[in-house]
Amino acid sequence: MFSIASVLLLALFAEWRPSLIPLRGGMGNEIPYIRTCDVYFLKETQKGWIAGFWPQWSRNSISHTTDGGKTWVPQETPSYKALRVFFINEKYGWAAGGGYPIDPCPIVMRTTDGGETWTEQILPGKHNLWAIHFIDPLCGWTAGLYGLLFHTIDGGITWESLQQNENWMIANLFFANHLTGWASGYDASEPHDTRGRIWKTIDGGQNWTQLSVPLSEDIFAMFFIDSLKGWFAPASYSSTPYYTTDGGSTWNPSVTTSVGPFPTTISFADSLNGWIGCGGIGIGREGWGAIWHTSDGGRIWTRQHCPTSHTLWSVSALNANEACAVGCMGTILRTEDGGNNWVYENNGDILCRIHAVDSSHIWACGLNSLLIRSENGGNSWEVMTDSGFGYGLTFPDFRDVFFLTPDIGWIGGVGGLYHTRDGGQTWETKPYPHFSCEKLEFVDTLHGWNINTGYGSLFYTIDGGTTWGIYDFPYNWLFNNLDFVDPECGWAVGVLDSHLIPHPLVIHTTDGGETWTRQPVSTSFTMCGLYACHFVSRTTGWAVGHGYGRRPFETQSQGVVFRTTNGGESWEEVFTVQIEYDFCSVGFADSLEGWVLSSWRIYHSTDGGMSFEMEFGWPGMATSPPWITAVDNRHAWVGWFDGCILEYVPSPGVDEEVTKSSPTSTIIGLKVVPNPFNRTVEIRIQKSDIWQYFSIATLQIYDLTGRLVKSFPLLDSRYSILNSVTWDGTDESGNRLPSGIYFCKLRIGDNSLTKQLLLLR
């Protein structure tokens, strides 16, 4: 029979699953990279590969296309650290990288079957490889930081070290034949604005000569098409490209004297047609993505429309009309008409906030004017494009979205504030006194508040956002979030910065913001800050954040949850947990059930926050803090990672299972760890202690179409039911199944239970 404990256990077996939104972000199912570092296509073919890195769990640092970049298939690799990829033909390829950003070391991976299988080698040294080039299936070179340079004559089975000057940072390699080649990068011993270098070898890399090039910053963008013709562009904000027709002995400036910002890559399809990709030099989203094109061999460059502001790290020309560019946050762009139109296959979407008006109407926003909505509870989503947000060659970044009704809402961020009265079909620009509008809260069509988290300022409006005032709080009161339960009663939380020692800050108003009162928060931490708050009534609410330096002495940061049941007159520290990063969001459906989020985990409480169980754990860190919106205990959504929304799905069959009380009610729960998974998943079976045996006990895996792909018998030699099975993502024949949603159905006797699995290759 089911005990109370069993019923509570069942409640915890609800799950979070990805909502099928029409985005393919950098951490999404298809391209799981925070930076897509390199793209390489075999000339005049539709076959290409991309290299990327992050996160560690993905093991998919290479992906492959056979249709010119329209679709990509991840290839499992022994390392997640690929920074460059190079193929000499359809079968033989290599990837170079390292332990970036932790534990750097030179790593080369090799394939002889088009990437179906890869082998890894760790070469001597303590730095990363940034470049790789082969002239045939046997002869190649790879190079990187602090003078690392290696040569192979057996296809990469063995490598000879050709160590160069330890100040040389080699970012690019091109060889015309077994003897003649070029390397570009910078000399770290020189001033930043004059350290750009191009070196040339005529003896296969044994010796290198520094070429005479104009004084410049780092040279990442370099390309040679044969032993004579080559191009480069320095990585400066406004850069002049150069070309050579004599192997680099002399360099001619292009007529176009300003391309940028920060050219990072050049690729030519032939001696006339080529592209430059730009945007920045950092890991994340720095600068503005830009693409320049030439059709006369580099004399004149024309800027083409780039549909993303993400840094572009590599471009590869298939032919004079087709090219593919890749960059930060998994960005993949493609053109089929010489660059007149660039479209994104993977835009590196970053969601910053999600807000549900009710169980049907949901909005989410993010960087680069990203705005999506659902009108059916997340079953389908619409991208709200061409809504008049973009201006010039850049796009405003949206940080928050808030709707009072399905029609009336506001969206704000870096670039201003916008208001709609027709469900987002049209938007009106609202003046805003600061450059960034980040945390919005409205109680009616006139009265609203906003926080600029960069400065912690708290603003208010009484005319729907047309004009804004700012509260005169002490300079060291830094606000992060606010929440109102009605037009009069609200709270704001943040950090009181006292001589660089953070303390929790909570202020409260009962007159619509006319006056505010600071509320004391007692904590066991010597340093503590609050990042989010949520109230379900005038009396009951929660605030979350981080703390460290708890007595007795502790140094590691911990997530902390505070609760009040008397409107904030007193706050109780109810839950702490040692986590990788702070709690950044909280959402409760009622006085008992709710969730708190860190950058890695979702924790669920059914007792008002007194205790939490980890309910979802993503195997990597969000690049922007996740946010939760909860309508009730059956409808909640999380904006997670880049272009990913998770929806809460209550445990299937919970009500049915709880009502059963016969001795054959054997299934208490079914848990899968991890979920999503990449290589293997453990399916754990929670069953009651019933003494009799059963003739039927199976676990079956189905795909999204309902096709049975795998079956596990669960009775051992003594006819006892197994406690768990492990599935490696293959079918009955041992074939690897593609990424996607699968279902595992457990059947014991007359009872069954189904759980969803997400396989990420």
Side-chain angles (χ1 to χ4, degrees):
M1 297 179 64
F2 269 74
S3 64
I4 294 177
S6 300
V7 175
L8 292 177
L9 184 60
L10 265 173
L12 293 178
F13 286 144
E15 64 177 338
W16 293 86
R17 68 184 180 197
S19 183
L20 300 179
I21 58 177
L23 305 175
R24 287 181 290 178
M27 304 292 282
N29 296 356
E30 186 173 351
I31 308 296
Y33 307 141
I34 191 171
R35 181 198 281 177
T36 311
C37 301
D38 197 21
V39 57
Y40 187 86
F41 274 84
L42 296 173
K43 287 291 191 295
E44 300 298 336
T45 77
Q46 299 291 298
K47 297 179 179 179
W49 292 261
I50 57 176
F53 75 84
W54 206 282
Q56 179 175 353
W57 53 266
S58 74
R59 295 293 182 184
N60 300 137
S61 58
I62 305 293
S63 292
H64 178 45
T65 183
T66 58
D67 56 12
K70 298 183 182 69
T71 59
W72 295 85
V73 177
Q75 295 180 331
E76 185 171 336
T77 57
S79 171
Y80 63 95
K81 308 165 185 177
L83 302 178
R84 288 290 183 265
V85 63
F86 187 92
F87 273 74
I88 199 69
N89 54 40
E90 294 182 6
K91 296 296 184 182
Y92 288 86
W94 301 264
Y100 192 92
I102 301 174
D103 297 328
C105 59
I107 291 177
V108 176
M109 295 186 292
R110 173 176 177 262
T111 182
T112 58
D113 54 14
E116 289 295 319
T117 57
W118 292 84
T119 57
E120 179 189 60
Q121 288 177 274
I122 300 179
L123 303 184
K126 296 181 180 180
H127 303 288
N128 298 320
L129 298 172
W130 279 11
I132 192 163
H133 191 91
F134 275 73
I135 60 171
D136 58 42
L138 297 177
C139 185
W141 296 260
T142 184
L145 301 185
Y146 299 98
L148 285 182
L149 180 66
F150 299 91
H151 177 47
T152 182
I153 57 174
D154 57 12
I157 298 174
T158 60
W159 292 87
E160 175 192 5
S161 176
L162 306 176
Q163 181 78 32
Q164 302 299 306
N165 188 312
E166 65 179 10
N167 292 314
W168 289 9
M169 309 297 171
I170 300 174
N172 221 331
L173 282 174
F174 281 94
F175 275 79
N177 50 52
H178 287 77
L179 299 176
T180 305
W182 300 263
S184 73
Y186 61 92
D187 186 334
S189 65
E190 297 295 325
H192 187 274
D193 58 350
T194 61
R195 68 183 189 177
R197 296 288 186 270
I198 295 180
W199 302 276
K200 183 177 182 179
T201 181
I202 56 174
D203 59 6
Q206 298 292 331
N207 299 281
W208 294 80
T209 301
Q210 179 180 316
L211 297 181
S212 177
V213 298
L215 296 178
S216 68
E217 299 179 32
D218 310 346
I219 300 176
F220 298 122
M222 181 193 72
F223 190 91
F224 275 79
I225 201 165
D226 54 35
S227 61
L228 298 176
K229 298 183 180 67
W231 302 262
F232 82 88
S236 59
Y237 186 84
S238 180
S239 176
T240 298
Y242 292 84
Y243 64 93
T244 181
T245 57
D246 57 13
S249 297
T250 59
W251 293 91
N252 305 298
S254 70
V255 175
T256 307
T257 59
S258 178
V259 302
F262 301 104
T264 53
T265 177
I266 295 181
S267 180
F268 272 73
D270 50 43
S271 61
L272 297 177
N273 297 280
W275 287 269
I276 291 177
C278 307
I281 55 175
I283 298 176
R285 180 191 165 274
E286 295 189 10
W288 296 268
I291 299 175
W292 296 77
H293 177 252
T294 182
S295 57
D296 63 1
R299 291 187 66 255
I300 298 175
W301 293 87
T302 303
R303 187 166 185 173
Q304 298 181 328
H305 175 69
C306 179
T308 181
S309 62
H310 290 150
T311 295
L312 299 178
W313 273 103
S314 179
V315 61
S316 181
L318 288 68
N319 51 55
N321 293 316
E322 294 180 274
C324 185
V326 301
C328 285
M329 309 317 300
T331 296
I332 301 176
L333 307 178
R334 186 176 57 84
T335 183
E336 295 180 342
D337 58 5
N340 293 320
N341 293 282
W342 285 88
V343 297
Y344 60 80
E345 298 299 337
N346 204 65
N347 197 31
D349 304 301
I350 300 178
L351 293 173
C352 294
R353 195 60 56 89
I354 186 168
H355 177 72
V357 184
D358 50 41
S359 60
S360 297
H361 297 86
I362 317 161
W363 292 80
C365 68
L367 303 189
N368 305 319
S369 301
L370 176 62
L371 181 62
I372 62 174
R373 72 172 180 184
S374 175
E375 297 182 305
N376 54 15
N379 292 327
S380 62
W381 294 81
E382 176 185 4
V383 180
M384 307 298 287
T385 57
D386 301 324
S387 298
F389 300 121
Y391 53 90
L393 294 171
T394 62
F395 306 87
D397 290 337
F398 293 147
R399 301 291 185 179
D400 197 12
V401 58
F402 187 93
F403 271 74
L404 276 174
T405 71
D407 293 323
I408 300 174
W410 294 261
I411 188 168
V414 179
L417 176 70
Y418 304 87
H419 178 45
T420 183
R421 295 181 177 87
D422 56 12
Q425 297 302 317
T426 59
W427 292 85
E428 173 189 2
T429 302
K430 291 288 187 178
Y432 190 69
H434 206 276
F435 71 91
S436 181
C437 176
E438 300 187 16
K439 298 289 177 64
L440 290 165
E441 179 87 6
F442 279 82
V443 293
D444 54 37
T445 58
L446 298 177
H447 298 85
W449 294 264
N450 175 67
I451 292 174
N452 173 262
T453 56
Y455 293 87
S457 305
L458 182 57
F459 298 86
Y460 66 91
T461 180
I462 58 174
D463 55 14
T466 300
T467 60
W468 290 85
I470 184 172
Y471 291 107
D472 185 22
F473 293 125
Y475 73 95
N476 60 344
W477 287 19
L478 307 177
F479 297 102
N480 291 316
N481 191 235
L482 71 161
D483 190 42
F484 275 74
V485 293
D486 56 49
E488 303 296 326
C489 186
W491 290 260
V493 302
V495 178
L496 190 156
D497 187 1
S498 176
H499 303 289
L500 301 180
I501 298 178
H503 299 285
L505 175 65
V506 178
I507 62 172
H508 176 46
T509 181
T510 57
D511 55 14
E514 291 290 332
T515 60
W516 292 84
T517 303
R518 185 182 171 196
Q519 296 182 331
V521 180
S522 177
T523 176
S524 62
F525 295 98
T526 58
M527 290 180 280
C528 182
L530 300 177
Y531 294 132
C533 64
H534 183 71
F535 280 76
V536 295
S537 69
R538 281 191 166 220
T539 59
T540 305
W542 300 262
V544 301
H546 82 286
Y548 52 98
R550 186 204 295 267
R551 306 177 187 92
F553 180 74
E554 291 178 355
T555 58
Q556 185 162 353
S557 175
Q558 296 193 35
V560 59
V561 179
F562 296 91
R563 185 183 71 163
T564 181
T565 56
N566 55 15
E569 293 183 13
S570 62
W571 287 85
E572 180 184 9
E573 186 180 289
V574 293
F575 179 74
T576 62
V577 63
Q578 185 170 300
I579 56 176
E580 300 84 352
Y581 287 85
D582 317 323
F583 285 141
C584 51
S585 181
V586 56
F588 269 73
D590 49 43
S591 61
L592 293 177
E593 190 163 6
W595 299 265
V596 296
L597 277 62
S598 73
S599 293
W600 297 66
R601 309 286 186 255
I602 299 176
Y603 294 83
H604 185 197
S605 176
T606 57
D607 58 6
M610 301 301 293
S611 64
F612 286 86
E613 293 285 341
M614 192 188 77
E615 191 169 60
F616 182 92
W618 197 273
M621 184 186 73
T623 56
S624 59
W627 199 261
I628 187 169
T629 179
V631 175
D632 52 46
N633 61 3
R634 300 185 68 84
H635 298 91
W637 295 266
V638 167
W640 195 284
F641 279 86
D642 310 310
C644 179
I645 290 178
L646 302 178
E647 59 178 326
Y648 181 67
V649 181
S651 202
V654 168
D655 296 336
E656 176 186 353
E657 295 294 341
V658 170
T659 60
K660 289 190 176 183
S661 59
S662 68
T664 58
S665 297
T666 61
I667 305 173
I668 294 178
L670 186 63
K671 193 171 184 65
V672 290
V673 180
N675 192 22
F677 73 101
N678 171 249
R679 287 192 168 184
T680 61
V681 59
E682 183 183 6
I683 304 171
R684 302 172 184 171
I685 303 161
Q686 284 84 24
K687 55 187 183 298
S688 61
D689 295 326
I690 296 179
W691 60 269
Q692 68 239 56
Y693 302 122
F694 294 89
S695 59
I696 298 176
T698 60
L699 183 74
Q700 296 174 315
I701 309 293
Y702 296 86
D703 64 16
L704 199 57
T705 67
R707 179 175 64 94
L708 177 65
V709 296
K710 190 83 168 184
S711 182
F712 297 92
L714 297 181
L715 298 179
D716 62 18
S717 59
R718 297 171 298 169
Y719 296 96
S720 296
I721 300 171
L722 301 178
N723 291 321
S724 68
V725 297
T726 299
W727 182 45
D728 60 0
T730 62
D731 61 16
E732 294 288 5
S733 301
N735 300 315
R736 296 171 71 240
L737 294 170
S739 299
I741 295 174
Y742 295 86
F743 299 92
C744 58
K745 183 176 182 180
L746 171 65
R747 183 182 177 189
I748 301 177
D750 295 330
N751 296 264
S752 65
L753 190 61
T754 301
K755 290 285 285 186
Q756 179 178 282
L757 306 171
L758 178 58
L759 171 59
L760 298 179
R761 291 292 188 188

